[in-house]
């Protein structure tokens, strides 16, 4: 096993914030969030999502980082270290496996964004409109192109991870976040000024509360919140394990949550007004192709649309890569920490396994019929959807809930708070945090999971 001094540390608290933000901000915000809002019927989903972020996920993010910083280990080792001789390490192990599942489907969507850099910049998307939806359907039905794009995306993430990316992530994310935010604001302004935008805005901001109690939708909102903040699988725990004790956690968490949430909300502000200005647009039936059908239409209304389109997808690829690197980091750190493998060898094993699982994910979007219609819509429909549903809507919240129980009752809140406040660090309200972790988050997760399981059975 490597000792903590071999594992390396972030150079500063800011470096940690950049890496954590790089992990959180990705396809989950720009592709996942609008897709889920569309499936979930609009504004009611947004409200439930925000509730989950604030009351459930932000406190768990703190817990994960504390577990990592205190133990200086990747997830399995962290539980073994803090609670020796017990079976709590299983929580970490589930996180390791879940990460491989997420990387697998994530890389397929990452592959789509790579292809769209080319499509957008070369003008292949044309004028958008209904044709853009058809274009996406045709593209995802092409098996070998999809497997190839998946391979390229996963290969890039693996290479970056193997190369010991800390400095790289920092540099990429420092430039990426302001550029991404600026472009998103610009696109939102354009979208909001299109004819018919008001209808989309109402859909996005005026909740239909009958939907807020549909448990399938509430379960999806919880899963999306976990996925977007990179929670439950131990990514933030692993990143926290490289954090110095003198670097406070409170401010970092606030910054990461604020940035992640504003980027998701901005993405919705772009997609729905623009979407509703397209004749015959139906957010619910667009599924994973939603942003790929709407954005080309929006780019077509901009002078220099190919340029904006190309730039947008390049930024999205980069945001997705910094997330995929953090996903790989969980199983890779596990193999390095526990088995003593070298990093490149560990990356090879992890990325190789993820690629095998990503092949059916890539082929299940029209290329191979049996993989494309595998399950009822509530379970994700196709192979990619089923993997995503199991990982995001079940695995992440369950491990998140177990982490709360661990911190709240096994390792205990006072130890966690002591770690949080080490070196006179600033933290808003440790008492409230303890209450959220002990009672509110685990109970809320348990009831949402139960409700959503009963709703699909
Ligand atoms: N949060 C990332 C995104 O929104 C995905 C992710 C999930 C990364 C879980 C790490 C762990 O794209």
């Amino acid at each position: 096993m490597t000792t903590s001094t071999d594992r390396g540390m972030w150079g500063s608290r800011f470096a940690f914030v950049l890496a954590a933000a790089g992990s959180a901000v990705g396809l989950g915000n720009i592709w996942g969030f609008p897709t889920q809002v569309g499936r979930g019927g609009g504004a009611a989903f947004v409200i439930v999502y925000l509730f989950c972020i604030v009351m459930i996920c932000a406190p768990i993010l703190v817990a994960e980082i504390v577990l990592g910083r205190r133990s200086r280990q990747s997830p399995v080792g962290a539980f073994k270290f803090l609670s020796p001789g017990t079976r709590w390490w299983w929580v970490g192990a589930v996180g390791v496996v879940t990460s491989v599942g997420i990387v697998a489907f994530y890389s397929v969507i990452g592959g789509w964004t790579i292809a769209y850099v080319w499509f957008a910049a070369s003008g292949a998307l044309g004028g958008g409109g209904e044709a853009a939806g058809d274009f996406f359907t045709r593209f995802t039905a092409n098996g070998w192109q999809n497997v190839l794009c998946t391979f390229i995306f996963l290969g890039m993430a693996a290479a970056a991870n193997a190369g010991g990316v800390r400095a790289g992530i920092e540099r990429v994310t420092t430039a990426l976040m302001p550029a991404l935010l600026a472009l998103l604001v610009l696109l939102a302004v354009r979208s909001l000024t299109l004819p018919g935008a008001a209808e989309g805005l109402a859909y996005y901001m005026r909740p239909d509360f009958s939907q807020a109690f549909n448990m399938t939708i509430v379960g999806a909102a919880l899963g999306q919140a976990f996925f977007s903040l990179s929670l439950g699988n131990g990514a933030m725990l692993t990143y926290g394990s490289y954090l110095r004790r003198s670097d406070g956690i409170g401010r970092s968490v606030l910054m990461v949550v604020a940035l992640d949430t504003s980027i998701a909300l901005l993405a919705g502000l772009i997609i729905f007004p623009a979407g509703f200005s397209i004749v015959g647009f139906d957010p619910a039936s667009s599924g994973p192709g939603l942003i790929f059908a709407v954005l080309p239409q929006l780019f077509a209304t901009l002078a220099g649309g190919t340029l904006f389109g190309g730039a947008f997808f390049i930024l999205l690829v980069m945001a997705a890569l910094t997330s995929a690197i953090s996903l790989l980091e969980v199983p890779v750190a596990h193999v390095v920490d526990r088995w003593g493998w070298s990093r490149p060898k560990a990356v090879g094993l992890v990325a190789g396994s993820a690629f095998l699982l990503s092949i059916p994910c890539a082929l299940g979007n029209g290329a191979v019929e049996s993989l494309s219609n595998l399950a009822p819509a509530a379970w994700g429909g196709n192979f990619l959807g089923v993997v995503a549903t199991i990982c995001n809507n079940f695995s992440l919240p369950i491990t998140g809930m177990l982490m709360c129980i661990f911190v709240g009752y096994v390792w205990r809140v006072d130890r966690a708070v002591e770690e949080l406040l080490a070196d006179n660090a600033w933290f808003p309200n440790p008492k409230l945090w303890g209450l959220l972790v002990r009672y509110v988050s685990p109970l809320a997760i348990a009831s949402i999971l139960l409700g959503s399981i009963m709703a699909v059975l």
Side-chain angles (χ1 to χ4, degrees), residues 57-71 75 78-79 226 229-241 249 330 396 399-400 403 407 433:
C57 292
I60 298 184
L61 179 54
V62 174
E64 265 207 34
I65 299 172
V66 170
L67 287 172
R69 195 181 71 176
R70 181 52 179 258
S71 64
F79 286 99
F226 267 88
L229 279 182
S230 307
L231 277 190
N233 66 332
M236 291 299 190
L237 189 157
T238 308
Y239 274 9
S241 76
I249 291 173
V330 177
L396 296 180
T399 45
M403 284 181 194
V407 170
W433 177 74

Side-chain angles (χ1 to χ4, degrees), residues 12-23:
S12 65
R13 184 171 68 84
F14 193 59
F16 168 74
V17 172
L18 285 173
S23 168

Side-chain angles (χ1 to χ4, degrees), residues 22-29 99 102 106 224 226-231 233 235 260 319-320 323-324 326-327 392 396:
S23 168
V25 174
L27 296 170
N29 308 61
S99 305
I102 298 182
Y106 203 86
Q224 173 63 27
F226 267 88
F227 179 66
S228 191
L229 279 182
S230 307
L231 277 190
N233 66 332
D260 187 67
S323 301
S326 78
L327 278 161
N392 298 357
L396 296 180

Side-chain angles (χ1 to χ4, degrees), residues 178-266:
L180 190 62
L181 265 173
L183 190 53
L184 290 176
V185 169
L186 188 129
L187 291 176
V189 171
R190 175 72 269 219
S191 175
L192 287 165
T193 51
L194 288 173
E199 202 191 328
L201 196 61
Y203 170 86
Y204 187 47
M205 314 230 341
R206 220 180 286 142
D208 161 9
F209 279 107
S210 63
Q211 292 297 308
F213 301 102
N214 174 332
M215 285 318 283
T216 313
I217 293 176
V218 176
L222 178 70
Q224 173 63 27
F226 267 88
F227 179 66
S228 191
L229 279 182
S230 307
L231 277 190
N233 66 332
M236 291 299 190
L237 189 157
T238 308
Y239 274 9
S241 76
Y242 307 128
L243 187 63
R244 291 184 310 205
R245 195 136 195 265
S246 52
D247 292 329
I249 291 173
R251 273 195 192 83
S252 313
V253 165
L254 279 184
M255 279 163 80
V256 171
V257 171
L259 191 68
D260 187 67
T261 308
S262 14
I263 291 186
L265 291 174
L266 259 175

Side-chain angles (χ1 to χ4, degrees), residues 378-424:
W379 285 98
N382 59 10
F383 193 90
L384 186 155
V386 171
V387 176
T389 306
I390 294 173
C391 291
N392 298 357
N393 297 8
F394 293 100
S395 187
L396 296 180
I398 289 172
T399 45
M401 178 178 74
L402 292 172
M403 284 181 194
C404 286
I405 296 173
F406 181 80
V407 170
Y409 302 93
V410 180
W411 187 46
R412 301 198 78 84
V413 171
D414 41 344
R415 291 209 194 116
V417 167
E418 185 195 296
E419 178 71 27
L420 262 182
L421 301 179
D423 270 6
N424 291 323

Side-chain angles (χ1 to χ4, degrees), residues 300-391:
T301 68
L302 285 163
T306 48
L307 203 73
F308 280 110
F312 173 84
F313 282 112
I314 289 177
L315 292 178
L316 188 54
V317 169
M318 289 182 359
L321 280 172
T322 53
S323 301
I325 290 167
S326 78
L327 278 161
L328 288 169
E329 184 63 17
V330 177
V332 167
H334 175 73
V335 171
V336 170
D337 281 357
R338 309 299 306 178
W339 303 348
W341 284 26
S342 72
R343 178 166 272 270
K345 207 169 131 198
V347 173
L349 173 76
V350 170
S353 330
F355 183 61
L356 288 181
L357 186 60
S358 72
I359 294 172
C361 291
L363 294 177
N365 305 287
V368 175
E369 175 54 29
S370 56
L371 295 168
S372 306
N373 282 308
L374 198 67
W379 285 98
N382 59 10
F383 193 90
L384 186 155
V386 171
V387 176
T389 306
I390 294 173
C391 291

